[in-house]
Amino acid sequence: RAPEKLSTRPWAQHPNLDIVKGDVLDRASLQKALCQCRAAYYLVHSMNPDVSDFAATDRQAAQNMAEAAAAEHLEQIIYLGGLGDEEGQLSHHLQSRTEVGTILRQGSVPVTTLRAAMIIGSGSASFEIIRDLVEKLPFMITPRWLKTKCQPIAIRNVIQFLIGVIGKTETYNKSYDIGGPDILTYKEMLLG
């Protein structure tokens, strides 16, 4: 999100790395960022409280990505979506993530979809919310969603999956559910 933050990373000076800022809501900047790339990771989910209709923002961003990837002749888009029973009742956020996957797949570039529930690790919005609840609230009235079951996965395992599918033609236009070994309720995660 901020190229200047990356400049302090040890790998930021690698001679084969170009850090380019792109905005999924600005197709021209996105196309510039994708120039000379073979594949792209799509890890975008709108959760901005300042946006009244995050699903519309997600749709526009996904459409821009599909079009820019096609214009730059990418070979693959790897999309990290949400894990949920598409036949059941999905939250608005999971519905939007499912819709984003559909929009990306309607483009001409093959898409590999990895579907994950909560990602455990720094930088994961869901994880950060749970961690803040545990660290900052001495007690809380428990909402119903604490009974919802989840199959969390460690961020290092997500990264392994993301790396594992890039350039693998046998994964093109396929979807994979990824998760850790445990199925827990949110309450069990809070107490753990």
Side-chain angles (χ1 to χ4, degrees):
R1 295 181 186 172
E4 57 277 359
K5 287 183 180 179
L6 297 177
S7 64
T8 61
R9 307 288 182 163
W11 44 262
Q13 306 311 316
H14 193 282
N16 294 335
L17 175 68
D18 290 321
I19 298 173
V20 181
K21 185 173 183 175
D23 180 345
V24 291
L25 296 176
D26 175 1
R27 185 171 160 213
S29 77
L30 185 58
Q31 201 164 324
K32 180 182 176 189
L34 295 174
C35 183
Q36 298 184 357
C37 291
R38 290 194 324 247
Y41 291 103
Y42 194 81
L43 311 174
V44 179
H45 299 295
S46 296
M47 295 182 77
N48 187 341
D50 297 332
V51 175
S52 61
D53 186 355
F54 71 86
T57 302
D58 274 344
R59 281 192 292 277
Q60 185 61 59
Q63 188 64 46
N64 288 346
M65 180 64 181
E67 291 171 4
E72 292 301 319
H73 309 290
L74 265 65
E75 296 169 17
Q76 181 186 27
I77 297 171
I78 300 163
Y79 172 54
L80 182 59
L83 181 60
D85 180 8
E86 293 180 16
E87 304 299 319
Q89 282 281 32
L90 295 176
S91 69
H92 295 301
H93 283 285
L94 281 178
Q95 287 173 11
S96 180
R97 290 176 184 174
T98 299
E99 186 177 23
V100 164
T102 300
I103 292 167
L104 292 173
R105 285 189 301 276
Q106 289 171 346
S108 62
V109 176
V111 177
T112 302
T113 302
L114 300 175
R115 295 178 356 125
M118 181 187 290
I119 298 172
I120 305 296
S122 183
S124 164
S126 300
F127 174 74
E128 301 284 354
I129 290 168
I130 294 289
R131 185 173 64 187
D132 284 348
L133 288 173
V134 169
E135 291 177 352
K136 295 178 180 168
L137 290 180
F139 68 93
M140 71 183 269
I141 297 172
T142 57
R144 272 183 273 151
W145 59 262
L146 283 181
K147 294 179 182 177
T148 303
K149 291 186 177 182
C150 177
Q151 190 173 4
I153 183 169
I155 193 143
R156 68 181 169 274
N157 297 120
V158 173
I159 292 169
Q160 289 172 336
F161 279 109
L162 290 167
I163 292 168
V165 298
I166 192 166
K168 302 284 188 337
T169 56
E170 64 271 18
T171 70
Y172 290 7
N173 298 316
K174 295 209 171 120
S175 179
Y176 302 93
D177 292 351
I178 60 174
D182 300 317
I183 297 174
L184 306 166
T185 65
Y186 283 93
K187 179 180 178 183
E188 289 170 320
M189 285 190 284
L190 282 169
L191 295 173

